[in-house]
Amino acid sequence: MSGEVTVSWPTCDQEDCNGVRIDSGQCLAHAEDHDLDGALAQISQTGNIDARGVTISSALLGQILDAVPRNSEGRQQFADARFDRATFQGDAVFLGAIFQGDAVFLGAIFQGDAVFVEATFQSVAGFDDATFQGDAR
C-alpha cells in the first residue's frame, strides 16, 4: 500500500493508527479512560513518556503535561520522552520543561506552534525530520 509507514514499535489496535501500544493494546489517544488514567499515573511516577506515533490533541497533551512530575520550582521534569512520529494537533507548549534523559521528536509533526522556551535538554534532543507548520520557539 502506498504511503504506509513502517514503525519499529508495537502499534495500537485501532485501524490505521501507528501510535505505540500501551498495556491495553491501544495508544494514549485511543485508550479507554481507565487505561489512560493508568498510563498517566505511570508517567507521573517515572517521568517517562512514550507517545511514538500518537496523534496528540491539545486535550491529551494537557493531560500528559499535567501528569509529568515537577521539580521544586514547578517545572515539568521528564526522564525519557519519546515522541517519534507523533502528531501534535494544537500548540505543543513545553515552556520551561526539563528533559533529563533523551528527548526524541524524530519525524514529529507540529501542526500548531512548538514552544520550548526556557526548556532544558540535559541529554540527547532529536528533532530530525520534524515538521513545524506553525512557529517554533
Side-chain angles (χ1 to χ4, degrees):
M1 180 184 291
S2 110
E4 189 171 311
V5 176
T6 303
V7 296
S8 61
W9 53 82
T11 58
C12 178
D13 289 341
Q14 191 78 22
E15 189 174 334
D16 295 327
C17 179
N18 284 323
V20 67
R21 168 189 308 213
I22 60 174
D23 292 340
S24 67
Q26 304 290 313
C27 69
L28 292 171
H30 293 116
E32 298 290 330
D33 287 343
H34 65 278
D35 294 321
L36 177 59
D37 289 345
L40 293 171
Q42 188 173 21
I43 293 166
S44 181
Q45 291 172 353
T46 65
N48 293 319
I49 173 72
D50 188 353
R52 293 173 290 172
V54 175
T55 298
I56 302 172
S57 66
S58 295
L60 178 57
L61 181 59
Q63 291 176 290
I64 292 167
L65 294 175
D66 286 346
V68 174
R70 295 180 183 268
N71 69 7
S72 61
E73 299 170 341
R75 294 174 63 182
Q76 293 141 339
Q77 205 163 318
F78 291 87
D80 285 316
R82 298 295 307 263
F83 292 101
D84 316 44
R85 293 191 179 168
T87 299
F88 295 89
Q89 293 182 317
D91 293 344
V93 181
F94 293 91
L95 183 69
I98 299 168
F99 295 90
Q100 296 175 308
D102 293 347
V104 184
F105 294 86
L106 303 177
I109 299 170
F110 296 89
Q111 293 179 337
D113 293 346
V115 181
F116 291 90
V117 174
E118 295 184 16
T120 303
F121 297 92
Q122 297 176 345
S123 187
V124 172
F127 289 88
D128 294 359
D129 298 322
T131 302
F132 297 92
Q133 296 174 350
D135 291 337
R137 300 187 295 270

